[in-house]
Every structure is written in structure tokens, then in C-alpha cells.
Amino acid sequence: MAELSNLEQLCLDKGLKMTDQRRTIARVISQASDHPDVETVYQRATAVDSRISIATVYRTLKLFEDANILIRHDFGEGRARYEEHGDHHEHLIDIESGEVIEFHNSEIEAMKERIARDLGYELIDHRLELYGRKIRP
Amino acid sequence: MAELSNLEQLCLDKGLKMTDQRRTIARVISQASDHPDVETVYQRATAVDSRISIATVYRTLKLFEDANILIRHDFGEGRARYEEHGDHHEHLIDIESGEVIEFHNSEIEAMKERIARDLGYELIDHRLELYGRKIRP
DNA sequence: GTACATGCAAAGGGTTTGCAAACGG
DNA sequence: CCGTTTGCAAACCCTTTGCATGTAC
């Protein structure tokens, strides 16, 4: 039945030791279309396999993040959220529902690079988040 | 001698009760050109008046933030930083020194508004931070 | 086998809070 | 005076860690 999720394949490619816990966590993230926080990942993982502790979730997410398999976000809620490392995009956070909308804008991408360079810096990372309220017609 | 700092004047304008602690914290922030974190504000404040507790610093900074006198930043370091609420600008953080460079770019400002609107949202707030490494010639 | 991964519970860092005492307007 | 503010210490939340046990390769 279960074929390998993208993340599982990536872990194998990187030579990470694949435990049941890591497999489960990888699948949970692979199947998530939202940007779950650690507690949510933990709940979804334990629903599949109860032999997973929150400490392992923290350790595994960090491992995956360091392996460039995941991206950790801090949307200012006091806890981290994760998503699979895919195409680069930015986020608009619905301040009423917490929903996260992804978008991409290449003009802004280019501009960020230029601004950093003009200030004498090499752009290593950046963060662009919009916080908005849905306009009801 | 001491004339009122901008912040002190603002507090009075807003009808906030002015205690010695609040006055001191207001001056510390007014005089800061960096973006101090809570601990730093606390140290600078107690250097002026030792009768100030860290709890009061937290409470006062939050009070000022709610009164729109201060802006709280979360640069992903796990602790908040504050600055006086002045002209709007963005930040470039030197990932090696922690130094914060301010900049403003009206093209990006306009673009953020437009992106949110195109997604069906009213832009309430946003966050744009660049993280870079100084280019040494 | 052996180095690495895990669970548990305790510790950690930043921040908030309950309470009695002190204080501002 | 009376409601607000403060200091203190304990509580909180999210996250990390020490240690003995279990496991992948």
C-alpha cells in the first residue's frame, strides 16, 4: 500500500536513519496542506502511531529543517509552524482565521535582492508576511 | 534640567498615569537608537533607577505598544525588541552582528498593498525583514 | 554490535500573572 | 482616598536536554 512520501524519499537520499517515528512524521508533513505547528504535527502523528513523543517531534522537525527538507515559520504566534520545502513563496496570514495563503511575486523578490545589495549586504534570508482581513463583497 | 522626552509627552497626551518607572522606561526608549530587547531596556532603566522590576518593564512596554507609542519586533531571536513608533520603515538584520539597518522602499510598500487586495484581503499589517551578511570589498 | 534515536521528565528561556503593598491624580 | 501600578515569586508556554532504554544499519 503506502508508497514513499516525497519527504521519506528525501530522507533516504540524505542518508538519514529511518525510524518508524520519522517515517510517520514525514508522512504527516507531506500530507499537510496547511502550515501545522508542532503540537498539531504531534497530534496527527500520534493518531497514526501512539509511540511518538512530543520530544521526538521537536527533534525530528529540527532534523528535517537542518536537512533542508522542511521550512520552519514563525508567524509571531509564539510557536513555530512547518511546511515542506517546495517552491519559494510568501505568506498572507488571515488575522481572523489564522488561515495562511501562499503567493509569489517575482518583482518583490528582485527588489529585496537589490535593496540588500544597495545597503552593502549579501541577502542570506528574508521574511515577508502580510497580515490581512478578508474583504467581504 | 530634564525636559520631557517625546515618549513622555505622548504618554501624557494619552492620559496614562505617569509613574517614575514609566518615565524612566520612556526615556530609555526615547534615547535608544538601536532596537533594544526587554532585558536591555531593563538594564538601562535600572541603571537610572534601581527600583524597577523586569515585570514592570514587560508591563510598561506592552502598555506603550497598545497605546501605539512603541512598536514591538520579533526578529526570530526568541525575544522581542522595541523601538519608538516613528516613520514606517523596514529592517535589514546583520546575521553576524545582530545590527539592525532601517530602510524604506515605497515601491515595495505599494506592492504589498496591491498583492493583498488582489488576494481579496485588506492589508492590516505586514512584516518584511531582510537577513544579510556584510559584503567586504 | 554500536552509534544513533527515543521516551520520559526535568530544565530552560522568555513572558505573564496573583497578590499584597505602594502610589498617582 | 480609591483605583492603578508595582515588586516579588510563582506560573506559563514553547522548546530543549540528560539519561537510561531501544533500535537501525
Side-chain angles (χ1 to χ4, degrees):
Chain A
M1 45 124 246
E3 59 182 59
L4 295 187
S5 68
N6 287 341
L7 286 191
E8 279 179 87
Q9 190 56 59
L10 272 169
C11 292
L12 293 175
D13 293 351
K14 303 228 173 200
L16 297 182
K17 194 179 281 191
M18 282 314 282
T19 63
D20 289 346
Q21 289 88 336
R22 289 182 180 176
R23 239 186 302 276
T24 300
I25 293 169
R27 288 187 193 182
V28 164
I29 292 279
S30 261
Q31 288 164 10
S33 60
D34 48 356
H35 300 64
D37 59 23
V38 179
E39 181 64 28
T40 302
V41 173
Y42 172 60
Q43 284 168 12
R44 292 179 189 171
T46 47
V48 175
D49 178 351
S50 62
R51 303 166 309 147
I52 297 180
S53 73
I54 187 86
T56 295
V57 176
Y58 273 102
R59 282 189 279 231
T60 302
L61 292 176
K62 187 168 214 284
L63 177 80
F64 288 176
E65 186 195 355
D66 291 345
N68 260 302
I69 288 172
L70 290 185
I71 297 184
R72 186 220 303 256
H73 292 294
D74 170 6
F75 292 147
E77 307 155 304
R79 81 200 85 105
R81 295 210 202 187
Y82 287 86
E83 74 175 315
E84 200 162 346
H85 189 136
D87 294 339
H88 173 66
H89 56 257
E90 312 294 350
H91 299 91
L92 185 154
I93 295 97
D94 185 320
I95 58 173
E96 279 163 355
S97 70
E99 188 191 354
V100 176
I101 292 101
E102 304 179 350
F103 68 89
H104 180 81
N105 183 298
S106 45
E107 290 176 79
I108 282 194
E109 296 302 315
M111 223 170 284
K112 286 179 309 198
E113 288 283 355
R114 188 163 54 71
I115 290 169
R117 196 160 3 93
D118 289 352
L119 291 169
Y121 280 80
E122 175 194 0
L123 188 64
I124 303 296
D125 197 5
H126 69 272
R127 195 145 101 182
L128 171 58
E129 287 146 28
L130 307 184
Y131 297 84
R133 179 156 36 219
K134 200 168 259 171
I135 298 170
R136 310 211 170 277
Chain B
M1 46 128 245
E3 59 182 58
L4 294 186
S5 69
N6 287 341
L7 286 190
E8 277 179 270
Q9 189 57 58
L10 271 168
C11 291
L12 291 175
D13 293 351
K14 303 227 173 201
L16 297 181
K17 193 178 281 191
M18 283 314 282
T19 63
D20 289 346
Q21 289 89 335
R22 288 182 180 175
R23 238 185 301 276
T24 300
I25 293 169
R27 289 187 192 181
V28 164
I29 292 279
S30 262
Q31 287 163 11
S33 60
D34 48 357
H35 300 65
D37 60 23
V38 178
E39 180 65 26
T40 302
V41 173
Y42 172 59
Q43 284 169 12
R44 293 180 188 171
T46 47
V48 175
D49 179 351
S50 62
R51 302 166 310 147
I52 297 180
S53 74
I54 188 85
T56 295
V57 175
Y58 273 103
R59 282 189 279 231
T60 302
L61 291 176
K62 186 169 214 282
L63 177 80
F64 288 176
E65 186 195 354
D66 291 346
N68 259 303
I69 288 173
L70 290 186
I71 297 184
R72 188 219 304 256
H73 292 295
D74 170 7
F75 291 148
E77 307 155 303
R79 81 200 88 107
R81 296 208 201 187
Y82 287 85
E83 73 175 315
E84 200 161 346
H85 190 137
D87 293 340
H88 172 67
H89 55 257
E90 312 295 350
H91 299 90
L92 185 154
I93 296 97
D94 184 320
I95 58 172
E96 279 163 356
S97 70
E99 189 191 352
V100 176
I101 292 100
E102 304 179 349
F103 68 89
H104 180 80
N105 183 299
S106 45
E107 290 175 79
I108 283 194
E109 296 302 314
M111 223 170 284
K112 288 179 309 198
E113 288 283 355
R114 188 164 53 72
I115 290 169
R117 196 157 6 89
D118 289 352
L119 291 169
Y121 279 80
E122 175 194 1
L123 187 63
I124 303 296
D125 197 5
H126 70 274
R127 194 146 101 181
L128 171 58
E129 288 146 28
L130 306 184
Y131 296 84
R133 179 157 35 220
K134 200 169 260 172
I135 298 170
R136 307 211 173 278

